[in-house]
Amino acid sequence: MNRAGPDDLPNALPRPPGEEEKLKRVWATPRGWRILSAVNNTVVGVAYLGFAFLFFLLAGVVALVMRTQLAVPGNDVVGQDLYNQLFTMHGTTMMFLFAVPAMEALGVLLLPQMLAARDLPFPRLSAFAIWAYVIGGLVFFSTIFYGLAPKGGWFMYPPLTLTEYSPGDNADFWLLGIGFIEISAIAGAIEIVVGTLRTRPPGMSLTKMPIFAWAMLIFAAMIMFAFPAVILATMLLEIERAFGWPFFSAEKGGDPLLWQHLFWFFGHPEVYIIFLPAAGLVSMIVPAMARRPLIGYRLIVVALIGTGFFSFGLWVHHMFATGLPALSLAFFSAVSMAVAIPSGIQVFSWIATIAASEGRFRITTPSLFVLGFLAIFTLGGLTGVMVALVPVDLQVHDTYFVVAHFHYVLIGGMVFPLFATFYYWAPMVSRRRLSETLGRITFWLMFIGFNVAFLPMHLTGLRGMPRRVWTYPGDVGWDMLNMISTVGAFILAAGVLVFIVDLLRNFRPTAGGGGAGDPWGAGTLEWLPGDVYAARSIPLVRSREPLWDQPNLAREVEEGRHFLPNAPTGGRETLVCSPVEAKPEYVLQMPGPGWSHVLAAIFMAGFFLLLTVKLVVPAVLSGIACIIACIWWGWSLDPGPVKGDVPIGAGIVLPTYVSGPRSHAWWAMIVLVFVATSLYIAYVFSYLYLWVVSPDAWSPHGAPALPPATWPLASGALVAAGAAAMLLAGRRLPAPGRPSATAPLLLAFAALAMTGAVVLEVLGHWYSGLRPGQNAYAAATYMASVLNVQVGIAVVLLAGYAIARSLVGCLDAVRRVNFDNCAILYPYGAVQILLSLLLVHGFPRMAG
Amino acid sequence: MRSEPTASFWGTLLYILAGPLLWAVQFTLIYAGHTAACLPAVPETLAVPLVAVPTVAAALAAVAFILRQEAFARALGAPEPPRAAALHAIARIAVLLALVAVIWSGFALALVDSCLAGR
Amino acid sequence: MARPARVLACTCSSAMLPLAGCAGIQSALVPKGGEALDIDPLFWTSAGVAMAVMAMVTILVAVALRGPVRWRQVLSREWFLTGGGIVLPIVVLTFLLVYGFLVMQAGATRMSAAGEHVVTVTGKRWWWRVVYRTPEGREVESANELRLPVGRKVMVRLLSDDVIHSFWVPQLAGKLDMIPGRINVLTLEAAEPGISRGQCAEYCGGAHALMAFHVVAMPAAEYDAWLAREAMPARVPASAEEERGAALFTANGCGACHTIAGTRAQGRLGPDLTHVGSRRSIGAATLPNDAAAFARWIAENDHIKPENLMPPYRNLAPDELRALGAFLDLLE
C-alpha cells in the first residue's frame, strides 16, 4: 500500500483561520420556508427522493385497491371505469413519477458525494427539474380523485387514445404528466453527464470511478437517446388529438404501430434506465459488506455498457404479437437473449465478491435487501429469457405471466436495491441510522409478501388470465391464485408500512450538514467526513477505494490538506477536471440558493396545466412569466473572468472562468444537441415508416405536387447564410470593454435568417395546397417544420439573450459563454433544417 | 501523470464503445435492409445479402479490432497501452460481447424465412 | 414450479359464466391444437432451463455466504466469473435461441400452408364479428363464438375497424393482434373435439375484461352440417309468446343494429342474431345463453357489461322481456 508522506499533500498545515467558517457561510442552507430556494445537492436530493417515495406509496395504494378488486371473481369493489384509470395510474406513476425520478434523485444525492464534488455543476437546474416534477406529478396524480385520470394504459396505444375513442381530457393529462417527466429527465441527464465526466476529483480516471458513477453515466446517456423517442411520440399523439394530423389513423394512411415502435424504443430502454443505477448501487454495497473490492470491475463496466446498447435493440419484443415478419422478430429475439449476458456477468461478479469476503459476508439490512434482490432479479431475468423466445411470448404476452415477469425485474431489480440504499446511505444524510431490527422486519415482510403475490401470477397467466382486466370469471382456474396474490400484496405493503415507521422514528435529515458517519467501513468517497460544503477539501485519488487504500485520507481531507480547502472566489465553487484522466482544469463558480428557478418551474407547470384544461390566455401568460424567470435565472450565470486565477494546492493555479470546449456549459449544450439529434432521428424514422406503410399517400399520387425546387433552395440558402453570419459573429466579438455593434447585428441576422427559412418551408407547402390533416404524408411533411420551429425558437431565444447581454456590455471575446451556447445550437439547427429540406423535398421525388 | 499527452475524450469514448457501436450499426442495417427486402416491390431474396453482408462485415471488423487493438487506441487518441490497462480490457471485452450479439442476430437468416409472418 | 395439475375443482358455478368450462379451458398449459402443441415443449424446455439456473444461482449464493473457505476461494476466481457469467450464458442461450428459431420457422411454414377454410374475425368494442366462408363461397355471419372442424387447418383472418384487439385462444395458438388498417392471419387447427375459451388480450378500453368467446371444435362432418344449418335463415316463432317477442323485437327497433336473416332486421352495428340461441353465451361470453339471460341482458346490459354500446331497455315490462327472451332463445 502506497502511503503518501505529509509533504506529498497539496496543501500544508496549519490552515488559515476562518477558512472553514467561510466555507460554511458560503454553502449555508437557507432556513425556514426559505429552504425552498435551496440548491445544495444533499438538500434537494433528499427532497427529490422523498417525493419519489411518496409517489411509490400512492401508486402502491392504487395497487392494493386493484388487488382487493381482483381477490375474488366477479368482485365489484371498484367498477370498470375506475379500475381502468387505476391500472393506468399505477403503471404511469410507478414508471414515470417513482422509478426514473428516484434514480435521478439518487444521482443528485449520491454522485457529488462519491466524486467528492461540492455540488453538481448546475445546481439550480436540478432544483428546477425537481420542482417541475413535484408540481406536475402531484397535479397529474390528483386527477384520479376527479375521475379525470387517463385510462388508456401506461402505454397509451392509439387508436384507443385518439379523440374518437378517448374524448375528454383524461388522455391529455397523461401526455401532460409525461411532458414534465421528459423535461426533468433531460435536465437530470445533462446534470449527471456533465457532473460525472467533469467534476470528478483529481486522479479519478474513468476506470477508477465507482461503479455507481458508471451506471449513472450510462443511465444519463440512455435517457439522452431513449426519451426523445417518447417525446416525439407524445408530440405526435397530442397533435393528432388536438389538430387531427393523422399519424396513427389507418384510414388516412397513418399506422397505430408507429406509436408502438416509438413508445417501445423508449419503453424498453426505460426498464434498463431504471435497472442500471440499481445494479450500480448493488455493486457499491456488496464490496462494502464483503470488505473487499468488487471482483470483475472491468467486466461489470462492460456489462453496463452492453446493457445500455442492447436495450435499444429490444423494442420489438413488445410487439411480437403484432404480426411482423418472422426474420425481423428473430433479430429482436436474438438481442433479447444477448442482453441477458451482461446480467449474468453482474450476478456472477456479485457472487464472486460475496465469496471473497474478508471473514464472512456481513448480514445487515442492506445486505439482506441485496440478497433478496439477487434471488428475485435472477428469476425475473430468467423468465425474461423465456419471453424473449417469440413462440413462448405469443402465449404469455399480455398475460399475468408477463405481469409477474416484470414485477420480478422491477421490484426485484429496482425496489429492493432502493431499500438497500435507504438503509445503507441513510447515515450519510441523517443524524441517526435507520433501525436494523425494523429493517430486518421490513425485509422479510417485503420478500415473503412479494413472492406470495407474484410467484403465483406466472401460473395465473399461463392459465390464460390476460392483463388489465377488472374482473374475471370464477370457473376457469384463476380464483385461488388471485386470492393468494392479493394476500401477498398486503404482506408486502405491511413491510413498507414498517419501513415508514422506521423512517418516522429514526430519519433525521441534516439539511446538508454531515450525517451520522460511516457505519460500514466502506471504501468510497461519499463516506468522507463533511458538512454543508461536502468534503472539506477535494482529495487526490489513486485507487477505486481511496478510503481503504489511503488510510489517513479522511483526516487529511478534513484538515483541508487536499485540493481547494477554501472558497478562493468567495462564492460556491467546485473543481472541474478533464473527462478521461481527471487532471484539474478550472474552478467552476456555481450559483447558490435562489428563487428564479423555482418561479420558472411553477410557471412552466402553470403553462402546461392551463393548456391541458384549454385555458389558453392564462397559459400563454404563464408561459411568458416562465421565460422571464428563466432570463432572470440565467442573467447571473456568466460571471466573466473577474476573479482571475486561483491556487488550489500543490502549486496548481487554475482559472475561474473558461469558455469553449473546456467549459461545463459547452458540455451541457453538446448533451442537448445529442438529445435534439435523437429526437430528429426518431422523426426521420417516423417519416420513412409511414411511407413504408402507405406509399400511396405520398406526393404526387396521394397529395398535391411538391412546391417548385426554388422554395427549398431559397430556404436552404437563407439558413446557410445565417450559419455563415454566426461563424463571422464568433470572430467579431469585441475585446473586453470595447462595445461593438457588429456581433449583435450578425446575431440578429442569423436569427432572422433561420426564422425566414422555417417560414418559407411552411408557406411553400401551404401554397401547394397541402394541408396537414389531409393524410399521413401531409402530417409527416408538416411535422418536419414543427421540429424546425422548435429548434428555431430556441435559437432565437438564445440569440436574443446573447444580443441583450452584448448591449449591456456582458459579452465579449473572453466572456463569451452566452454566445457560445447559441453558436453550438445554430449549426445544429441549420443542419437539421437542411436535412429536412432534403428529406421532405427529395425523398418523394426519388421514391415517386 | 503530467508528462503524458492528454487523452482525447471523444477518441476514448469511441474506443471503449467500438464494439457496441459496431453492433448498433449492424443491427440497424440488417433491420432496415430486411424491412426493405420485404416491401412488395422488392424481391424477397434480396434479404439474404442485405443481412449477410453487414453481419460478416461487422464480425470481421470486431476480429480486426481485437487483433490490432493498440493501433486503434493510438489512432483514436485513447490512452495507449500499457497505460490504463483497465480501459483496454473494457474495450476488448465489449467487442467480444458485441460479436456474440452480431452473430446471434445474423445466423437467424439461416434458420428463419424472411418475410413470412412471424409466429 | 412443478407441472401444475388441475388443483382447482371444476365448480362451473360462478354468476359470471355458469355455462362453459372448467379450470384449463383457457390454459396455455393444456394445449389442444396446432401452434399451442408446438409451443408447449419449447415452453417447458425454457422453463426447465430457468429453474435449473435459478437452483444453481441459489446454491452458489449459499456457498458464497456460508460455504467452506476452500469452496469460497474457487467462487472468487476470475475463471469462475468468466465461465459462469459469460461462457455458460452463451452456451445455454445459443441452444434456446436455435430451438426458438426452429419453432418459429415451423410456425411460419404452417401459416403459409393454410388451406381453403377461411374465417374472418373482426374485433369490435367489445365483441367479435365472425364470418365463415362456405366451400361454395357464401359468407355466413355469426358472433362471439368460433366453430372449428377437427383436423383441418383453418385460416383465420383478423381485422379491426376501431381500436387494437388481440385474438387469443390459449389452447389452440398464441395470440395475434387485430390492428386497424392491417390484416393478420392466424392458422388454427384443433386436434380434438371440445370447447375452449378465448379472450381479447390487448387492452381495448372500457369493457376489455368482458370480451371473451368460445371456440367449439367438432368432428369435420358435424362441422360441415353445422355450417350448412348456420347458413340457413332463422327459425320462425312457433308459440304465442315467441311471436310476441318477435313483434317486440321489431317494434323496439332492434333490427337497426342486429341482423336476423330471413326477417327485416338487417342492422350491422351489433352481433348477428340469426342463430344466437345456439351459441354458448351472450354478451361475448359474459352471460349464459338462456331465455332469462336474454331478458336480463336487454334490460340491464349497462350493469352487466358497463360501457357496452347497446342501450339498456328499462322501459320494457317483465313479461315483455320474457317474450323477447323466449324469441331469441328460439333462434337456434
Side-chain angles (χ1 to χ4, degrees), chain C residues 291-325:
Chain C
F294 278 118
R296 246 189 93 201
W297 174 265
I298 293 166
E300 47 180 332
N301 61 67
D302 57 333
H303 294 311
I304 297 164
K305 184 165 174 172
E307 294 178 59
N308 93 81
L309 302 180
M310 172 170 167
Y313 287 80
R314 293 212 180 72
N315 55 326
L316 295 175
D319 60 314
E320 292 176 316
L321 287 170
R322 244 191 332 272
L324 268 171

Side-chain angles (χ1 to χ4, degrees), chain C residues 239-304:
Chain C
S239 71
E241 179 156 55
E242 288 164 4
E243 292 220 16
R244 185 169 173 226
L248 281 163
F249 190 91
T250 312
N252 282 287
C254 304
C257 296
H258 296 284
T259 293
I260 297 179
T263 75
R264 278 165 45 210
Q266 295 293 331
R268 298 277 305 153
L269 289 178
D272 185 299
L273 300 180
T274 306
H275 299 287
V276 66
S278 66
R279 296 182 204 147
R280 306 197 59 83
S281 73
I282 60 175
T286 304
L287 287 183
N289 188 325
D290 57 38
F294 278 118
R296 246 189 93 201
W297 174 265
I298 293 166
E300 47 180 332
N301 61 67
D302 57 333
H303 294 311
I304 297 164

Side-chain angles (χ1 to χ4, degrees), chain A residues 453-532:
Chain A
F454 290 98
L455 196 60
M457 278 186 197
H458 292 103
L459 190 51
T460 321
L462 290 168
R463 287 188 173 179
M465 181 158 168
R467 296 167 71 176
R468 301 159 188 145
V469 293
W470 68 282
T471 189
Y472 56 93
D475 55 357
V476 276
W478 307 337
D479 37 5
M480 181 62 79
L481 293 168
N482 271 294
M483 177 54 93
I484 295 172
S485 289
T486 301
V487 171
F490 278 90
I491 299 175
L492 174 61
V496 177
L497 202 63
V498 174
F499 172 71
I500 294 173
V501 171
D502 196 2
L503 269 189
L504 294 177
R505 284 172 54 121
N506 294 316
F507 189 66
R508 298 289 176 270
T510 58
D518 174 13
W520 318 110
T524 39
L525 297 178
E526 77 272 26
W527 297 110
L528 283 173
D531 206 310
V532 283

Side-chain angles (χ1 to χ4, degrees), chain A residues 214-304:
Chain A
W214 271 108
M216 287 312 285
L217 186 58
I218 293 158
F219 160 93
M222 289 174 72
I223 285 183
M224 282 160 56
F225 294 101
F227 268 74
V230 79
I231 291 176
L232 182 76
T234 47
M235 282 168 78
L236 299 185
L237 183 54
E238 189 55 53
I239 290 174
E240 175 152 8
R241 281 181 63 83
F243 308 113
W245 299 18
F247 297 105
F248 305 116
S249 302
E251 67 271 23
K252 286 187 174 176
D255 187 8
L257 285 190
L258 172 61
W259 169 269
Q260 298 190 17
H261 280 290
L262 291 173
F263 185 82
W264 291 118
F265 187 80
F266 147 80
H268 202 91
E270 160 85 349
V271 176
Y272 291 95
I273 284 174
I274 292 166
F275 168 64
L276 283 189
L281 294 167
V282 171
S283 291
M284 303 296 289
I285 296 173
V286 167
M289 293 304 162
R291 298 193 186 88
R292 284 279 187 211
L294 192 63
I295 293 184
Y297 176 94
R298 300 163 184 193
L299 283 173
I300 288 211
V301 172
V302 174
L304 295 171

Side-chain angles (χ1 to χ4, degrees), chain A residues 585-588 644-646 653-658 662:
Chain A
E585 289 199 333
Y586 71 101
V587 172
L588 162 60
D645 293 354
V646 296
V653 177
L654 295 180
T656 54
Y657 183 84
V658 298
R662 279 205 301 165

Side-chain angles (χ1 to χ4, degrees), chain C residues 30-61:
Chain C
V30 191
K32 288 191 172 166
E35 189 175 292
L37 286 168
D38 281 1
I39 295 176
D40 198 51
L42 176 64
F43 167 78
W44 284 108
T45 308
S46 63
V49 168
M51 283 182 269
V53 173
M54 186 68 207
M56 179 191 74
V57 169
T58 312
I59 292 168
L60 290 177
V61 171

